[in-house]
Amino acid sequence: GESVGLHLPTLSVQEGDNSIINCAYSNSASDYFIWYKQESGKGPQFIIDIRSNMDKRQGQRVTVLLNKTVKHLSLQIAATQPGDSAVYFCAENAQRTGGGADGLTFGKGTHLIIQP
Amino acid sequence: SAVISQKPSRDICQRGTSLTIQCQVDSQVTMMFWYRQQPGQSLTLIATANQGSEATYESGFVIDKFPISRPNLTFSTLTVSNMSPEDSSIYLCSVTQGAHEQYFGPGTRLTVT
C-alpha cells in the first residue's frame, strides 16, 4: 500500500527502547490536543488526548506532555514494540475561521520505525 | 468508540468526473467531519457536516467542488466534483464522541487519471 510516511520526518528506535515524538503547535488558543497513530492503508487511530489545563497525561505505555509556554507537545512510548511502527500525528482543536466546532488542525507527522 | 465505515474504500476515476463517498456510523453522532490527506502528507479539514443544514467549509474548500450531505445523525456523503489529478488523495470522515474525542473512518483512496 501507499506509504503515508513518504515525505515525513523519521524516528528510528530499537525494539524495547522508549521513544519520544515531538510536535510544535501554532495556536495559543488551542485548548485540546490529540495524538493519532496511522498505519499504512488505515485511518488515524486515537491514542491519547490532553486538555490545555493539564501538563501531563498517562495511558497504557504512552504519556503525553504539554508545554503551553513554548507550544510544544510530546508523545512518549515506553518499551516500543514492532506494532508501534506507524506515522504519528498530533492534532489541536483550534478556533476555526469557518466556525466549525471541534475541527482539528493536524501537525506534519512523524514516521516511527522500530528496529529489531 | 463508534464504528465508522466508508464506501468505496478506493477508486480510480477519470478527470472531469465526480465521485460520491459515503460515511456510515453505527451510532448517532452530533459532529461529523471530512478531511483530505494528500500523498505523504498530513490531514486537512475540508468541512464540518452539519445535520439538517449546509456544511461549514474551511478556507480553500468550496461547496461547488466538495458538496456534502448530512441527512441524519449516522450518515454523510462527500462528493468530489469535476475531478483533476490534484484531487488524488485519501478522503476521511470522522465523528466526535464525548466532549472532543474524534474518531476516523478507514478512508477512501482516490486516484484521478
Side-chain angles (χ1 to χ4, degrees):
Chain A
E2 179 180 346
S3 169
V4 297
L6 190 62
H7 305 297
L8 303 173
T10 298
L11 174 64
S12 183
V13 300
Q14 292 291 124
E15 181 179 352
D17 287 352
N18 299 332
S19 63
I20 300 175
I21 301 171
N22 297 303
C23 176
Y25 64 94
S26 57
N27 192 334
S28 57
S30 294
D31 59 0
Y32 179 68
F33 305 87
I34 309 177
W35 278 100
Y36 287 95
K37 172 186 180 183
Q38 187 176 30
E39 296 173 286
S40 183
K42 298 183 179 179
Q45 176 190 351
F46 179 99
I47 301 174
I48 192 168
D49 59 357
I50 189 168
R51 295 191 179 280
S52 60
N53 61 354
M54 303 171 68
D55 297 323
K56 178 180 180 178
R57 189 162 187 230
Q58 288 184 294
Q60 188 176 13
R61 277 202 311 119
V62 295
T63 301
V64 55
L65 298 177
L66 175 62
N67 185 331
K68 295 180 287 295
T69 302
V70 295
K71 291 188 283 190
H72 184 268
L73 197 65
S74 67
L75 176 70
Q76 301 177 1
I77 305 174
T80 52
Q81 304 168 356
D84 294 330
S85 292
V87 177
Y88 289 81
F89 293 99
C90 66
E92 60 184 298
N93 180 0
Q95 283 297 110
R96 314 207 63 84
T97 56
D102 291 323
L104 297 174
T105 298
F106 278 74
K108 295 189 190 310
T110 297
H111 190 187
L112 178 64
I113 297 173
I114 309 302
Q115 294 186 340
Chain B
S1 62
V3 176
I4 306 166
S5 60
Q6 289 185 230
K7 289 182 181 179
S9 59
R10 60 177 62 229
D11 207 342
I12 301 173
C13 301
Q14 290 190 337
R15 67 175 68 204
T17 64
S18 298
L19 176 71
T20 295
I21 301 168
Q22 300 178 4
C23 178
Q24 179 75 53
V25 191
D26 70 341
S27 59
Q28 292 186 341
V29 294
T30 305
M31 307 298 292
M32 294 183 76
F33 306 89
W34 287 98
Y35 291 80
R36 179 175 72 182
Q37 185 175 28
Q38 295 177 302
Q41 302 294 318
S42 185
L43 284 78
T44 300
L45 179 65
I46 297 172
T48 302
N50 302 310
Q51 197 267 330
S53 64
E54 280 195 359
T56 305
Y57 289 84
E58 296 302 305
S59 176
F61 298 97
V62 295
I63 188 170
D64 290 345
K65 176 67 176 178
F66 298 102
I68 287 171
S69 78
R70 177 89 191 272
N72 56 53
L73 293 175
T74 64
F75 186 78
S76 178
T77 67
L78 169 76
T79 299
V80 186
S81 303
N82 188 24
M83 288 183 284
S84 67
E86 291 72 32
D87 294 320
S88 296
S89 291
I90 301 171
Y91 292 87
L92 300 126
C93 70
S94 71
V95 304
T96 297
Q97 284 196 310
H100 290 289
E101 294 177 16
Q102 197 163 130
Y103 298 94
F104 284 81
T108 295
R109 190 178 302 268
L110 171 62
T111 302
V112 184
T113 61

